[in-house]
Structure formats: structure tokens, C-alpha cells
Amino acid sequence: VVLQHDGGRPERGEMFDPVTDSWSPVSSEGAPRYGSFDEGNGPLGSPSYFAFEDWVVVTWFDGNHGARFSGAVLDARQNTWRPMSTAGMPDRLPEAVVRGAAGILVRFHADAGGDRYDIRADRWTPITSEGAPPGATGATFTTVGDHVIVWGGREARGAIYDVRADHWSTMT
């Protein structure tokens, strides 16, 4: 998926289907719209994009919710947009490492805490901290299947996070 945004206009773009070797336009209906001085009020920008599996998740700083973020989800298979629930959405989204697996967007931050966004259920929940590696600052995060491998950081050790089960296990 290739997206482009212009001030005051909804997100637009194209997506490529490798099976049919073809490009098709991304629907702009329900897509996030960024504010502009020319086109009127809207979300304040600073968009971040997270693409995995069949989804693109867009989050942005939104002065309409105070110092909070808003978001939208593009279902690439259905070519439809929907707003992301802000109930339980964490603060400081851009300051986190984000990975996606099993239809769940996982956000890790420096103190090894984090949050999960279940795309299908449109729900934010905290990830378990039991078994999480301490001090993930400087760690490397890699997604493998339905797991996120975390290696390094202040403690120079690793852990595996099972996205579906919301469970940590240590690495030898």
C-alpha cells in the first residue's frame, strides 16, 4: 500500500496485489483527513504508519482529544477505512517500538511495558509485564510469525513475546 496525504484532504493512494500483478486505488471514503490552513479544521498531523498482514494502521497526534492520538485502520482486502477506538489508547505512540502479528498491533516502550491493539475487536489492552525483559531501551525487536523477539537493551538478554497468548518467555 502506498499512501499520500495532502493538507485538508483524505488519505489517498494505491495498493499492489502480487497475485494479480496489478495496482488499484485505495478508497478515500472514511480515510483520515489532516487539517490545513486552507481546507479547515482536522486532525493535527504527525502521522505514523504501521503496515502488516492485510492492514495499515495510521495514528496521528490529535489536538481534538487534548494531548492524545487518534487512529484509523485500512483493511486492504476489503479496501475500507474505519476509525480506531481511542478507549484505552496509550499516550506517546511515536516513542514506542510497534510490531504487528496475528491481527494485533503491539506497542512496546522503554520500560518493557506496552499495549496491544486487536484490529478485529477494535480494542486496546495493556500487555502482560510478567516475564517481560527489564529495560528494553536499546533492544532490537523482530517479528517472527505470531511472536516478537526482543534482544539486547540495558540488561543484554532476550525474551519472546507470544502475541496471541499475551505471554512472555525467556531466551537462553
Side-chain angles (χ1 to χ4, degrees), residues 36-89:
S36 81
F37 293 109
D38 299 330
E39 301 294 328
N41 294 331
L44 295 177
S46 298
S48 294
Y49 299 87
F50 311 101
F52 67 100
E53 297 174 5
D54 295 325
W55 298 282
V56 175
V57 177
V58 182
T59 61
W60 61 89
F61 179 74
D62 187 352
N64 297 325
H65 294 123
R68 301 282 302 177
F69 287 80
S70 290
V73 177
L74 170 66
D75 180 331
R77 284 192 187 266
Q78 301 298 318
N79 196 14
T80 57
W81 286 95
R82 68 174 165 76
M84 174 187 283
S85 173
T86 57
M89 181 185 271

Side-chain angles (χ1 to χ4, degrees), residues 7-25:
R9 296 194 176 130
E11 202 67 79
R12 62 188 177 93
E14 294 182 281
M15 58 185 145
F16 181 75
D17 183 346
V19 173
T20 62
D21 190 27
S22 62
W23 287 89
S24 60

Side-chain angles (χ1 to χ4, degrees), residues 128 130-133 147-150 158-162 166-172:
T128 185
E130 184 177 331
H147 298 82
V148 177
I149 298 172
V150 181
I160 301 170
Y161 178 70
D162 183 325
D166 187 28
H167 179 275
W168 287 96
S169 55
T170 58
M171 293 175 63
T172 57

